[in-house]
Amino acid sequence: MISVTRKSHFNAAHRLHNTEWSDEKNDKFYGLCNNKNFHGHNYDLYVTIKGPIDNSSGFVVNLKELNEVVNKKVINVLDHNLIQDVEWFKDRQPSTENLVVFVWEQIVSEIVLPAKLFCVKLRETGTIFTEYYGDE
C-alpha cells in the first residue's frame, strides 16, 4: 500500500476549561490554555490517505478533490474562528485530541474507495502534535 499526505494550515482560538472544576483546578490542569480571554494557535493539519495506485491516473487519491473536501469540511469551518463555537464542540473540550477526531469524522466518508483515510495529524505547536487513526 502507498500513503499520500496532504498538509493544510489554519488559525483558530480556544480555551480549555471545565465548568465542573474550580478556577484553581482549571488553571493547574490547563495552564495557559485556560486563559480567560482565549488564545490562538497556528495549526498544521496532515491528512494521510492510504490505498492502491490507480492504474489509469497513477494516483492513490485525487489530491484536487481531497483539497476541496478538507477546505470545505474543515478549514472553512475552523480557520479564524473560536473552536468552541463549532457545534461539534458544544459538549467537548477543543483539545487537539478532539480536533483530530472532528477532522476524521468530517472527511472519512468523502474518501473514494479503494483509498481510505489512514491518519489525521494535527500540529498545535512546534513541539506538540496529535495523531488519530480512527477507531481501531
Side-chain angles (χ1 to χ4, degrees):
M1 287 288 170
I2 302 287
S3 65
V4 177
T5 301
R6 180 194 179 282
K7 178 183 175 186
S8 301
H9 181 82
F10 65 94
N11 303 306
H14 69 158
R15 178 184 185 209
L16 300 177
H17 182 83
N18 186 329
T19 57
E20 296 177 7
W21 295 352
S22 68
D23 285 343
E24 182 180 285
K25 183 172 181 177
N26 274 290
D27 286 340
K28 185 176 182 181
F29 192 84
Y30 293 123
L32 293 175
C33 288
N34 186 44
N35 183 323
K36 292 169 182 54
N37 295 318
F38 300 95
H39 69 284
H41 293 281
N42 299 312
Y43 293 96
D44 287 323
L45 173 64
Y46 300 85
V47 174
T48 301
I49 307 299
K50 189 173 184 180
I53 300 171
D54 179 81
N55 287 332
S56 60
S57 70
F59 294 159
V60 171
V61 63
N62 182 320
L63 291 173
K64 180 181 178 195
E65 290 175 2
L66 179 60
N67 183 52
E68 290 170 357
V69 166
V70 170
N71 283 335
K72 179 181 177 185
K73 302 273 188 165
V74 178
I75 305 303
N76 293 346
V77 173
L78 296 173
D79 193 34
H80 287 87
N81 284 312
L82 184 60
I83 297 168
Q84 283 91 321
D85 288 347
V86 175
E87 183 64 31
W88 194 91
F89 288 93
K90 290 297 181 194
D91 298 321
R92 296 178 179 97
Q93 291 291 339
S95 63
T96 56
E97 292 88 341
N98 279 327
L99 276 164
V100 292
V101 174
F102 168 77
V103 172
W104 184 281
E105 289 183 4
Q106 300 312 299
I107 66 174
V108 68
S109 65
E110 303 291 329
I111 307 304
V112 178
L113 294 173
K116 293 182 180 181
L117 182 57
F118 177 68
C119 179
V120 172
K121 176 179 176 178
L122 187 65
R123 183 173 297 280
E124 182 179 71
T125 69
T127 59
I128 298 171
F129 64 88
T130 304
E131 295 175 313
Y132 183 59
Y133 296 88
D135 292 328
E136 297 179 306

